[in-house]
Amino acid sequence: MRARPASIVEALSRHTEHAPEKLCLRFEGEWWTYERLHGRVETFAAALRSWGLSSGERVALFLRNSPDLLAAYLGTHLAGGVVVPVNTQYRQVELQHIFDDAGVRLCFTDEERQPELEHVRGDLPQLEAAVELGEELDSFLGAAGAYKPSPPREEDLAVIAYTSGTTGRSKGAMLRHRNLVANTMAVCEAWQWTDDDHLLLSLPLFHTHGLMVGAQGTFFAGASAELWRKFDVTEVYDALLEGSFTMFFGVPTMYTRLLREAATRGERPQALRLYVSGSAALSPQAFEEFERLFGERILERYGMTETGMNLTNPYEGERRPGTVGRPFPSQEARVVDVDTREPLPAGEIGEIEVRGPHVFVGYWNRPDATEESFDEDGWFSTGDLGSVGEDGYFTISGRSKELIISGGYNVYPREVEEVLKGCFGVAEVAVVGLPDEEFGEQVVATVVRDLPELTEEEVRDFLEDKLASYKKPRRVVFVEELPRNTMGKVLKHKVREGLVEQKG
Ligand code: MCA
Ligand code: AMP
């Protein structure tokens, strides 16, 4: 038996050798066999090398979903490079920080995003090229010389994935090929993913959920996926009715929308092999409603950019609403006391820690943050609060980190606060998350003005091109002062309570 592949691109090569004509991706009516995708991956690798990319150098993907995003991803790996996936909604402040911090040399982008990048290009001396899909990409790939790629080694760095940071600046989580392979293997094993599977993939490919679970799992299992530019509930519902899929992965907001859509439709899709939810908490009500309307129990799992997937409800066995199940194969998880860091008995709430081959190696350029996140035995602190039952099922009950999750996207209040502080007339600001029916949570800013005539509209105008739109406060509320403790620290729970009361 051959050893396990050292990288996802090696897994793709093996499936290509074995079944070149097999469907790998379908995208907007086009068929991508394994051979076709693999050929494109090799072309990207050769072109990157001809351009002058050296091993370990960073390539950013600031692109909407397409097969070329995936070919660029794996092609960068085959060329020995490190991929930096970038959220397509990011604006100047976020782009400037990520490109600068990661020292990105080359970026693949598209027509819609190129102008945003151009705004900050002058301040990014390390960024030598931004190649736009279309003619620019064609000529870039056309210049590829001969290159005999050798697949990356397990220990090589594969990805720097930026996760919103508690300090206001996002941090780059460094993942090696072995982390990606360990994660993908664990997912495929736990969910019994085989080459017969056909996934409906409408998640964005710049995040772990879409890229490292949806796409990587497909390549690793030798399966196929229908890739969508984005999630559109009516079209997804129609596609599910059409009946060729075996799996669908989504964030809870997608399930909420599917439930709403189902309420307006007479027809119900046939059962799939597997529906998976993650990235934010799925409410037990949505779980039950889904089972009633779609006849299936959603499998909820829990992950993080730094670790990939950590905990999962069972494929066979009880999928329990409100819980995220047990550790994936070859992984460990535990709950510790937030102060003493000692493991807690079953049922007690503490911080969830994880350990295993899937866990990242540290934060790029941030040894301090890396050190803070791991203990001497290699346990990684997730910042999520929860408990574990006698039967080993974990329940997530809150967060020790200050994080808002809106529709599966993370928003760190501090990052929004830092930007808002730059707005003329804003004296103090506190950003909090309030419950939201559609997105789970919504971002709200509470502002103390030193310019009494400052309006909500002016604050919005100020934010216009500075932050991704999902991070922008849905409401800006002006107050006389922020509640603080005796040390002067803003009491966020009081801010939240005040806003809820005001709304009620
Ligand atoms: C879009 N908008 C949002 C969100 N998404 N506002 C708040 N929260 C959101 N999540 C805003 C847009 O900025 C825009 O505002 C308006 O809504 C319409 O934009 P549109 O693109 O049409 O939105 P949509 O297509 O309806 O998007 C909703 C969505 C999307 C499909 C649920 O948010 C999505 O794909 N979420 C998935 C995120 C994800 O993959 N997370 C995984 C992270 P305006 O009009 O003002 O511009 S990985 C992770 O968390 C770990 C590892 C894990 O466990 O998986
Ligand atoms: P990210 O930084 O985008 O990787 O987001 C990771 C965070 O999403 C985790 O630390 C959790 O707070 C949250 N998360 C992911 N899956 C779940 C889930 N099933 N239930 C609750 N929270 C989740």
Side-chain angles (χ1 to χ4, degrees):
M1 211 178 78
R2 281 209 278 180
R4 74 174 204 194
S7 62
I8 302 298
V9 67
E10 193 178 330
L12 184 91
S13 304
R14 287 190 191 181
H15 289 301
T16 305
E17 266 170 44
H18 177 70
E21 296 302 322
K22 188 176 186 299
L23 175 70
C24 181
L25 296 174
R26 220 164 58 185
F27 179 73
E28 299 185 341
E30 265 196 55
W31 283 58
W32 287 74
T33 61
Y34 269 82
E35 189 172 44
R36 180 175 176 197
L37 183 68
H38 191 258
R40 191 77 172 167
V41 168
E42 287 189 323
T43 307
F44 265 95
L48 283 165
R49 279 289 177 168
S50 299
W51 177 79
L53 190 83
S54 300
S55 296
E57 288 186 329
R58 275 78 59 208
V59 173
L61 304 182
F62 185 39
L63 282 176
R64 60 170 183 261
N65 281 8
S66 74
D68 267 339
L69 188 160
L70 294 168
Y73 177 67
L74 296 175
T76 301
H77 287 166
L78 200 57
V82 178
V83 174
V84 180
V86 183
N87 188 318
T88 50
Q89 291 201 40
Y90 280 175
R91 312 297 299 268
Q92 296 171 29
V93 175
E94 293 129 328
L95 294 177
Q96 160 97 45
H97 167 63
I98 290 173
F99 279 72
D100 183 42
D101 189 63
V104 171
R105 261 194 89 194
L106 181 139
C107 172
F108 291 109
T109 186
D110 54 43
E111 198 183 355
E112 246 181 282
R113 270 145 279 275
Q114 179 80 278
E116 201 60 38
L117 194 57
E118 281 309 316
H119 279 302
V120 288
R121 193 78 194 272
D123 298 322
L124 296 169
Q126 295 191 72
L127 181 62
E128 291 168 44
V131 181
E132 193 180 306
L133 290 197
E135 277 171 26
E136 265 182 40
L137 179 65
D138 291 344
S139 71
F140 181 82
L141 297 179
Y147 170 57
K148 178 141 185 6
S150 59
R153 291 163 309 177
E154 278 196 331
E155 291 309 310
D156 294 340
L157 200 56
V159 171
I160 303 178
Y162 277 78
T163 103
S164 320
T166 39
T167 53
R169 282 289 163 106
S170 60
K171 293 175 290 192
M174 296 187 286
L175 291 147
R176 292 190 169 146
H177 288 283
R178 72 173 155 81
N179 302 128
L180 304 186
V181 169
N183 223 297
T184 312
M185 255 174 76
V187 166
C188 289
E189 186 183 331
W191 300 346
Q192 302 187 14
W193 201 330
T194 73
D195 57 3
D196 283 335
D197 277 309
H198 188 46
L199 171 72
L200 199 172
L201 182 52
S202 57
L203 285 155
L205 290 175
F206 46 76
H207 270 319
T208 302
H209 198 161
L211 182 62
M212 289 166 192
V213 188
Q216 287 192 175
T218 298
F219 302 146
F220 200 82
S224 60
E226 173 139 343
L227 178 66
W228 288 39
R229 217 167 260 248
K230 62 179 293 206
F231 175 87
D232 175 289
V233 70
T234 310
E235 290 173 12
V236 167
Y237 199 92
D238 286 339
L240 291 172
L241 282 178
E242 175 241 317
S244 65
F245 298 101
T246 63
M247 300 195 290
F248 174 80
F249 300 166
V251 298
T253 301
M254 295 177 179
Y255 285 102
T256 312
R257 289 187 183 177
L258 280 172
L259 285 171
R260 250 197 268 138
E261 185 71 15
T264 68
R265 303 277 196 115
E267 260 183 297
R268 297 280 173 264
Q270 286 172 4
L272 301 195
R273 186 175 76 73
L274 187 63
Y275 280 100
V276 177
S277 174
S279 309
L282 180 73
S283 76
Q285 292 84 332
F287 178 98
E288 273 147 26
E289 187 69 358
F290 198 84
E291 185 175 15
R292 197 173 65 76
L293 290 177
F294 289 73
E296 284 197 59
R297 290 170 81 78
I298 298 170
L299 182 153
E300 184 171 2
R301 82 341 172 246
Y302 156 79
M304 266 185 97
T305 300
E306 287 91 334
T307 61
M309 299 300 101
N310 291 311
L311 296 163
T312 181
N313 269 278
Y315 180 69
E316 280 164 354
E318 191 195 353
R319 295 183 196 161
R320 202 177 296 164
T323 79
V324 288
R326 304 188 178 103
F328 278 87
S330 311
Q331 301 184 5
E332 295 174 279
R334 66 180 189 179
V335 176
V336 298
D337 184 283
V338 174
D339 300 316
T340 66
R341 311 309 295 180
E342 287 299 319
L344 288 171
E348 285 192 29
I349 293 177
E351 186 171 340
I352 298 174
E353 291 190 335
V354 297
R355 186 165 72 171
H358 61 307
V359 178
F360 78 135
V361 284
Y363 295 106
W364 177 257
N365 285 339
R366 295 290 308 274
D368 53 329
T370 305
E371 201 185 327
E372 255 174 49
S373 312
F374 287 94
D375 75 4
E376 62 277 14
D377 298 318
W379 288 97
F380 171 66
S381 315
T382 61
D384 289 307
L385 300 177
S387 58
V388 53
E390 295 283 359
D391 53 9
Y393 278 67
F394 283 71
T395 302
I396 294 172
S397 51
R399 300 177 201 117
S400 66
K401 54 192 175 193
E402 240 194 75
L403 168 67
I404 301 167
I405 304 186
S406 170
Y409 285 133
N410 288 3
V411 184
Y412 269 92
R414 178 80 184 269
E415 185 185 358
V416 183
E417 287 163 3
E418 293 295 323
V419 175
L420 272 171
K421 277 179 196 161
C423 175
F424 187 68
V426 170
E428 290 174 49
V429 55
V431 169
V432 295
L434 291 189
D436 183 274
E437 240 175 67
E438 170 99 12
F439 291 114
E441 286 181 285
Q442 62 169 243
V443 180
V444 179
T446 310
V447 170
V448 178
R449 292 175 274 209
D450 53 13
L451 188 73
E453 55 275 22
L454 180 72
T455 64
E456 178 161 355
E457 205 186 341
E458 283 166 339
V459 175
R460 281 188 198 292
D461 286 348
F462 170 79
L463 287 176
E464 178 54 29
D465 54 5
K466 298 200 170 52
L467 284 177
S469 138
Y470 66 89
K471 294 182 188 171
K472 290 178 189 162
R474 290 296 174 254
R475 282 165 61 206
V476 178
V477 178
F478 295 109
V479 292
E480 290 301 312
E481 58 178 354
L482 295 175
R484 292 179 184 274
N485 66 12
T486 47
M487 309 290 288
K489 189 173 179 297
V490 175
L491 297 167
K492 289 280 177 86
H493 64 282
K494 292 263 184 217
V495 174
R496 217 172 288 118
E497 279 164 24
L499 288 167
V500 172
E501 271 168 29
Q502 205 186 54
K503 218 181 171 194

